Amino acid sequence: MTSTLASASGTFAIGGDLTVNRLGYGVMQLPGAGVWGESRDPQNAVKVLRRAVELGVTLIDTADAYGPEVADLLIKEALHPYADDLVIATKVGFTRQGPNQWIPVGRPEYLRQQVELSLRHLGLERIDLLQLHRIDPTVALEDQLGELVALQAEGKIRHLGLSEVSVDDLVAAQKLATIVSVQNLFNLAHRDAEPLLDTATANDIAFIPWFPLATGKLAQPGGPLDALAKKHDASPSQLALAWLLKRSPVLLPIPGTSSLDHLADNVAAAALELTDDEFTELTAAV
């Protein structure tokens, strides 16, 4: 394996000026169970982060809510000072009340606080990509994005994105700010966000799919992923990632894991190319 394996996935310029290898890494699995509390093996988490960068990953996705704060501190411990080509995308706007509990809070003063804390915990002077983790339905969108735009004008945020939104949400947000990325649930088996993906593709907006490896019944013996995996001498997860990479040039998958072996397996998907017929077969399998 070369140290630039993720580069086989090609590149995409987020916002036109943040060029990353399309296959990235998400840190959501590094904190404790339910994305809550300390990592069960902090030393291993640091090793996984460092190995991801060694394998050519240049986009790392995190959020203040992961832990909360646990993932950000692990990133800083493992990778700071950061390589010039490493983009750390983070999110604010979700509060945590315990394992697997998430409540959006979009009050301007809270969003500002969390951006400031993210800068501190990550050891950054500016966040390259800051995404609103969820739109808070109890706060005017103008107030939520307005505060982030103000932070952007202060030089604390480079680019803005949104997470788990509809096409209508994106259109409304674009009237208030320059939105360069969206992050929604999207994978081979769950494609409800295809209208948003098509809009993002048409407008050269990065689409960062979370939970990209949902394979389920598709990977069972005799299923379409299983048969094609044997043909390519690959894992079903690799095929699921290869499908995403072929689906649209704006898709930036961020498979997460706390396992060094799974990390290597995921990154190796960057070099797997599906034929048009294979892509069509997998697309039709769901």
Side-chain angles (χ1 to χ4, degrees):
M1 297 295 181
T2 69
S3 61
T4 56
L5 185 58
S7 63
S9 63
T11 61
F12 181 81
I14 302 172
D17 62 2
L18 281 178
T19 300
V20 297
N21 290 331
R22 290 180 59 206
L23 187 60
Y25 173 73
V27 303
M28 191 175 178
Q29 294 189 33
L30 295 185
V35 202
W36 181 260
E38 299 299 323
S39 169
R40 284 162 286 191
D41 189 343
Q43 291 183 334
N44 179 71
V46 167
K47 290 179 181 177
V48 169
L49 284 161
R50 290 175 176 166
R51 185 58 179 154
V53 173
E54 289 173 356
L55 290 172
V57 168
T58 57
L59 173 63
I60 291 181
D61 178 84
T62 185
D64 65 339
Y66 296 166
E69 302 169 1
V70 171
D72 287 356
L73 293 172
L74 286 169
I75 290 171
K76 183 179 180 182
E77 178 183 351
L79 302 173
H80 192 274
Y82 303 112
D84 291 341
D85 64 346
L86 183 62
V87 172
I88 298 175
T90 190
K91 299 175 285 294
V92 298
F94 243 168
T95 62
R96 305 299 309 282
Q97 294 69 43
N100 295 314
Q101 297 180 50
W102 312 75
I103 296 177
V105 173
R107 297 194 311 274
E109 64 272 21
Y110 177 73
L111 296 178
R112 176 171 286 271
Q113 169 186 285
Q114 294 310 108
V115 169
E116 293 286 2
L117 288 175
S118 293
L119 288 166
R120 183 193 304 174
H121 293 148
L122 289 167
L124 293 169
E125 294 184 1
R126 180 178 66 174
I127 295 168
D128 278 334
L129 177 60
L130 189 285
Q131 300 160 100
L132 184 60
H133 210 152
R134 290 293 187 276
I135 294 175
D136 184 345
T138 69
V139 179
L141 182 60
E142 293 85 347
D143 293 338
Q144 296 176 69
L145 282 179
E147 191 66 24
L148 298 181
V149 169
L151 286 158
Q152 190 177 34
E154 293 167 21
K156 296 176 180 179
I157 297 171
R158 185 170 183 173
H159 289 301
L160 292 173
L162 302 170
S163 178
E164 205 52 39
V165 293
S166 66
V167 173
D168 288 343
D169 291 331
L170 174 59
V171 171
Q174 286 175 315
K175 296 176 181 177
L176 305 168
T178 300
I179 303 299
V180 305
S181 71
V182 291
Q183 183 165 352
N184 276 48
L185 172 64
F186 188 80
N187 54 53
L188 181 59
H190 301 88
R191 306 204 292 263
D192 291 347
E194 281 200 311
L196 181 66
L197 173 58
D198 291 340
T199 298
T201 303
N203 292 277
D204 210 29
I205 294 172
F207 189 115
I208 304 172
W210 61 270
F211 199 37
L213 292 181
T215 53
K217 295 181 179 179
L218 297 175
Q220 292 181 353
L225 275 176
D226 177 58
L228 202 55
K230 292 176 180 176
K231 176 182 175 181
H232 282 275
D233 192 23
S235 68
S237 293
Q238 288 173 340
L239 286 178
L241 290 170
W243 182 86
L244 285 170
L245 290 169
K246 190 174 179 65
R247 172 62 179 82
S248 168
V250 307
L251 274 170
L252 310 179
I254 48 164
T257 179
S258 59
S259 162
L260 286 166
D261 288 341
H262 289 164
L263 172 67
D265 186 75
N266 290 339
V267 174
L272 181 60
E273 294 188 23
L274 300 177
T275 66
D276 291 343
D277 287 345
E278 290 169 341
F279 175 81
T280 300
E281 177 186 352
L282 286 178
T283 302
V286 180

